[in-house]
Amino acid sequence: LARTTGRRFSPGGPGLSPEDARAAVADLRALSRYAVGPVRERTGLDAGDAPPAIVVDRAAWVDSNVEGFRAVLAPLLEKMATSQSSLTTSIGSRVTGLQLGGMLAFLSGKVLGQYEAFTTSGTGRLLLVAPNIVAAERHLDVEPRDFRLWVCLHEETHRVQFGAVPWLSQHLVGEIHDFLQLSDVTAGEAMKRMGAGLSAVISVVRGEEGAS
């Protein structure tokens, strides 16, 4: 439900010809490879050679983040599946699915790139959201290659933060899983709390007054 909602309400991207779209994707892939050297040299951290970033559209970004949430929330999802209050849990999960999908749809038009530390495969990866990068460079009226390189350097830095410490990603996932497994709240209550958290995130991103 979160994936369907996010995809349905994700905003359309900037107008690009097929040739310009292919050129932007190729440029971002090349720059993501180039960014490995300067970040390694500047930070002194070696995360190994990276495959080219995965260049995605907004819908694919939504899909990937839904899978990330699935990896992090695995204990909660299992608790929901075995909950005795199946009706309450079902309703709560649908509401939260809609909220999560709505948040991802909104963010899908804002995020330029992302290092995914939490994946179902256990292997992190770098995403670049091409429509948002092109839209931002047009809005800012900046040199496309310079802006794309800046985005790649920024996201490569995040990859290095996790890649140079191989155990960090799984450690963080393990800590979250332990917390969810030890929690005494019911699955229904957990869904309510998650829904409240998602609502707060949406308010902060939108810059609503009083949000924190």
Side-chain angles (χ1 to χ4, degrees):
L1 180 58
R3 177 184 288 109
T4 301
T5 303
R7 276 178 159 267
R8 180 174 182 180
F9 293 102
S10 179
L16 280 174
S17 69
E19 294 77 14
D20 287 342
R22 285 192 291 268
V25 169
D27 198 26
L28 287 169
R29 286 174 177 163
L31 290 172
S32 73
R33 288 192 296 267
Y34 170 79
V36 173
V39 173
R40 178 187 297 160
E41 182 179 323
R42 178 65 63 176
T43 64
L45 299 174
D46 188 353
D49 292 330
I54 302 172
V55 183
V56 298
D57 60 12
R58 291 167 176 173
W61 181 87
V62 169
D63 289 349
S64 188
N65 276 268
V66 168
E67 290 305 310
F69 273 101
R70 188 188 305 278
V72 172
L73 299 176
L76 177 58
L77 296 174
E78 183 177 352
K79 182 181 292 188
M80 289 169 55
T82 59
S83 172
Q84 294 179 349
S85 55
S86 58
L87 178 60
T88 300
T89 301
S90 176
I91 294 174
S93 65
R94 287 182 178 276
V95 171
T96 303
L98 288 170
Q99 289 176 313
L100 176 58
M103 181 187 74
L104 292 176
F106 178 75
L107 293 177
S108 71
K110 308 294 182 182
V111 175
L112 302 179
Q114 172 185 348
Y115 177 70
E116 288 195 316
F118 309 135
T119 63
T120 52
S121 67
T123 303
R125 60 181 190 169
L126 198 61
L127 301 182
L128 297 173
V129 190
N132 296 348
I133 293 173
V134 172
E137 66 195 28
R138 288 180 175 180
H139 176 73
L140 296 172
D141 191 24
V142 294
E143 176 61 36
R145 189 182 185 281
D146 290 346
F147 184 74
R148 295 169 188 179
L149 176 57
W150 174 82
V151 173
C152 290
L153 289 168
H154 179 93
E155 300 305 333
E156 172 63 14
T157 302
H158 290 308
R159 187 190 76 86
V160 167
Q161 287 174 321
F162 282 91
V165 188
W167 53 265
L168 180 58
S169 177
Q170 287 306 307
H171 173 72
L172 290 178
V173 172
E175 290 290 294
I176 295 171
H177 285 181
D178 287 346
F179 172 77
L180 293 175
Q181 289 168 343
L182 293 173
S183 176
D184 292 330
V185 299
T186 65
E189 179 62 25
M191 295 308 300
K192 290 181 182 179
R193 292 186 181 184
M194 183 177 175
L198 291 174
S199 296
V201 170
I202 293 172
S203 297
V204 170
V205 172
R206 288 177 174 172
E208 294 178 3
E209 186 175 351
S212 62

